């Protein structure tokens, strides 16, 4: 992998990740851009103990542009985009309309391929490995920023999810706090560790899932399963078999096997609902240990956390979505319409030939 860092016309950082070491990236952003102005701030909810990002400047962000005006495609002639070069393998840049900025963190966009009509599932294993390396590099770089406590690499896919740009891409949020979901996990890990005299909860969960009927696919270094208490109609968790706290902890064997396993998982997701259905909308995100201090989680260190990817769709059956209504949105009590065992069976049925 070759990494080339440059700047866009308004000062934002842009980084090319290339498969070839001899690739030259010297294109200049020729757009007449004004400096980026953000109003991002983080406010704490004292009753719930969580945080909300207030980012009113995002009201003006790009919204469903036609394909020939896509800001994530490479620049061609006088059609200028966020990527100055005429081609790329993978690229990361600071979001022009970030939810988090400055002392409130940082937001980046990750473009998986220059092919506007592709998806992550269409990538080759070599391309998918490049994206994994880019995620890892950005996790490392962002973790050193003084305002960053946790790094979340994720992909929103599909208009049903709320995606406003059709080009295959994801995002990276660098939070200035430990997110509520991660805090819940860490509290559970601390409670289990104390109650069992030191047993790791993630290890116990993985051992149980490996022995159960909800395993979807398994490699030498990775396993994907529908969790026992899945929140979503089709939800899969992907774990490395050797527990590590973050992407930086993966060894070369796990990195080499990941593209094959993950691409197969995404392709199965696209076959869940049968022929003629539009591509399955989904959210896929890496859960990594926070980089900040963990004093509030007594007896727990970063090494007690287990890196894993969570993938789920809001589509519950052909032509129908799972909406978060009263119980889910109002009280955070999910109601799943599909038994996790049935979801796992379906995902095994649609294995590629």
């Amino acid at each position: 992998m070759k990494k080339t860092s440059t700047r866009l016309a308004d000062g934002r950082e842009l980084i090319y990740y290339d498969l070839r070491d001899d690739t030259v990236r010297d294109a200049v952003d020729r757009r007449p851009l004004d400096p980026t102005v953000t109003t991002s701030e983080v406010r704490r909810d004292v009753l719930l103990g969580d945080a909300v990002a207030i980012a009113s400047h995002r009201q003006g962000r790009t919204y469903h542009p036609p394909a020939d005006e896509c800001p994530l495609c490479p620049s061609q002639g006088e059609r200028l985009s966020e990527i100055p070069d005429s081609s790329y393998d993978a690229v990361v840049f600071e979001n022009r309309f970030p939810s988090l900025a400055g002392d409130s963190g940082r937001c980046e966009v990750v473009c998986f391929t220059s092919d506007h009509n592709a998806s992550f599932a269409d990538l080759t294993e070599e391309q998918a490995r490049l994206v994994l390396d880019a995620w890892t590099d950005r996790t490392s770089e962002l973790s050193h920023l003084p305002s960053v406590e946790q790094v979340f690499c994720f992909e929103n896919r599909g208009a049903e999810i709320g995606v406003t740009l059709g080009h295959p891409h994801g995002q990276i949020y660098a939070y200035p706090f430990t997110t509520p979901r991660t805090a819940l996990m860490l509290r559970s890990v601390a409670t289990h560790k104390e109650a069992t005299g030191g047993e790791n909860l993630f290890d116990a969960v993985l051992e149980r899932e490996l022995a159960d009927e909800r395993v979807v696919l398994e490699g030498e270094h990775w396993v994907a399963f529908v969790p026992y208490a899945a929140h979503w109609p089709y939800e899969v968790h992907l774990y490395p078999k050797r527990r590590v706290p973050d992407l930086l902890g993966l060894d070369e064997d796990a990195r080499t096997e990941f593209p094959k396993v993950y691409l197969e998982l995404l392709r199965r997701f696209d076959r869940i609902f049968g022929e003629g259905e539009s591509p399955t909308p989904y959210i896929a995100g890496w859960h990594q240990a926070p980089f900040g201090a963990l004093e509030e989680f007594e007896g727990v260190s970063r090494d007690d956390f287990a890196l894993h990817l969570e993938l789920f769709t809001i589509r519950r059956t052909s032509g129908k979505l799972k909406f978060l209504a009263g119980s889910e949105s109002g009280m955070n009590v999910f109601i799943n319409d599909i038994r996790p065992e049935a979801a796992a069976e379906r995902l095994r049925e649609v294995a590629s030939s």
Side-chain angles (χ1 to χ4, degrees):
M1 177 188 78
K2 181 181 181 182
K3 175 183 175 183
T4 305
S5 180
T6 184
R7 293 282 172 179
L8 295 173
D10 56 7
R12 288 175 295 135
E13 186 177 18
L14 180 142
I15 306 157
Y16 294 98
Y17 292 90
D18 287 295
L19 293 168
R20 292 174 55 95
D21 290 336
D22 59 353
T23 303
V24 176
R25 298 295 185 187
D26 55 8
V28 176
D29 185 3
R30 295 181 285 125
R31 297 173 298 170
L33 296 181
D34 295 326
T36 301
V37 178
T38 64
T39 57
S40 178
E41 68 172 301
V42 173
R43 298 185 181 183
R44 292 202 63 82
D45 185 319
V46 295
L47 289 178
L48 296 180
D50 60 11
V52 177
I54 309 297
S56 58
H57 62 276
R58 283 174 52 80
Q59 284 282 35
R61 65 187 184 273
T62 309
Y63 187 79
H64 291 300
D68 60 356
E69 296 179 16
C70 175
L72 306 185
C73 287
S75 293
Q76 298 289 339
E78 294 306 309
R79 194 192 69 76
L80 306 178
S81 74
E82 289 280 62
I83 296 89
D85 216 323
S86 59
S87 66
Y88 63 84
D89 292 333
V91 69
V92 176
F93 60 88
E94 288 184 75
N95 197 325
R96 186 166 172 79
F97 304 96
S99 301
L100 306 166
D103 293 339
S104 297
R106 175 159 158 152
C107 291
E108 298 182 340
V109 177
V110 185
C111 297
F112 306 137
T113 170
S114 60
D115 184 352
H116 181 85
N117 297 312
S119 69
F120 200 115
D122 295 322
L123 301 183
T124 65
E125 291 186 18
E126 185 181 35
Q127 289 174 306
R129 169 61 190 264
L130 181 65
V131 175
L132 174 64
D133 290 342
W135 283 329
T136 305
D137 180 71
R138 296 315 300 152
T139 296
S140 176
E141 292 292 327
L142 293 169
S143 71
H144 291 97
L145 297 181
S147 63
V148 172
E149 189 166 312
Q150 186 173 4
V151 178
F152 181 48
C153 308
F154 65 98
E155 179 190 3
N156 297 329
R157 194 264 196 121
E160 299 94 330
I161 295 294
V163 175
T164 57
L165 296 175
H167 195 103
H169 74 287
Q171 300 182 64
I172 301 175
Y173 274 26
Y175 298 100
F177 51 81
T178 297
T179 60
R181 187 174 176 85
T182 302
L184 284 172
M185 294 183 199
L186 290 169
R187 282 194 284 271
S188 296
V189 168
T191 299
H192 185 83
K193 189 174 185 179
E194 182 180 8
T196 60
E199 182 182 69
N200 183 274
L201 180 57
F202 285 107
D203 291 349
V205 167
L206 190 56
E207 181 179 0
R208 181 182 71 177
E209 295 293 355
L210 279 167
D212 219 315
E213 59 182 312
R214 290 178 300 277
V215 172
V216 174
L217 59 89
E218 182 177 357
E220 184 178 354
H221 304 284
W222 295 87
V223 60
F225 58 87
V226 177
Y228 171 76
H231 289 57
W232 299 92
Y234 289 93
E235 175 182 343
V236 176
H237 293 188
L238 178 62
Y239 276 69
K241 291 184 177 179
R242 182 179 70 87
R243 173 165 46 90
V244 295
D246 51 41
L247 289 166
L248 283 70
L250 293 174
D251 60 24
E252 183 57 30
D253 288 338
R255 292 181 183 280
T256 298
E257 186 181 72
F258 169 78
K260 180 178 180 180
V261 174
Y262 188 49
L263 290 172
E264 169 63 16
L265 188 57
L266 291 180
R267 290 162 186 167
R268 291 191 191 191
F269 252 61
D270 272 344
R271 290 192 291 270
I272 294 174
F273 303 104
E275 297 292 334
E277 190 70 59
S278 61
T280 301
Y282 65 72
I283 294 175
W286 286 105
H287 292 257
Q288 307 190 78
F291 288 96
L294 301 179
E295 286 91 350
E296 64 179 293
F297 310 106
E298 190 172 347
V300 173
S301 70
R302 292 191 77 249
D303 290 336
D304 289 313
F305 194 86
L307 168 76
H308 61 284
L309 181 141
E310 297 187 7
L311 168 69
F312 64 89
T313 179
I314 62 171
R315 185 178 290 165
R316 58 187 175 87
T317 189
S318 181
K320 297 179 181 178
L321 302 180
K322 165 66 177 177
F323 292 101
L324 300 189
S327 183
E328 291 91 351
S329 294
M331 296 302 286
N332 201 29
V333 178
F334 276 66
I335 301 167
N336 195 344
D337 303 294
I338 299 176
R339 291 187 75 249
E341 293 74 16
E345 181 178 9
R346 176 59 180 158
L347 285 162
R348 290 192 297 268
E349 287 176 351
V350 296
S352 62
S353 57

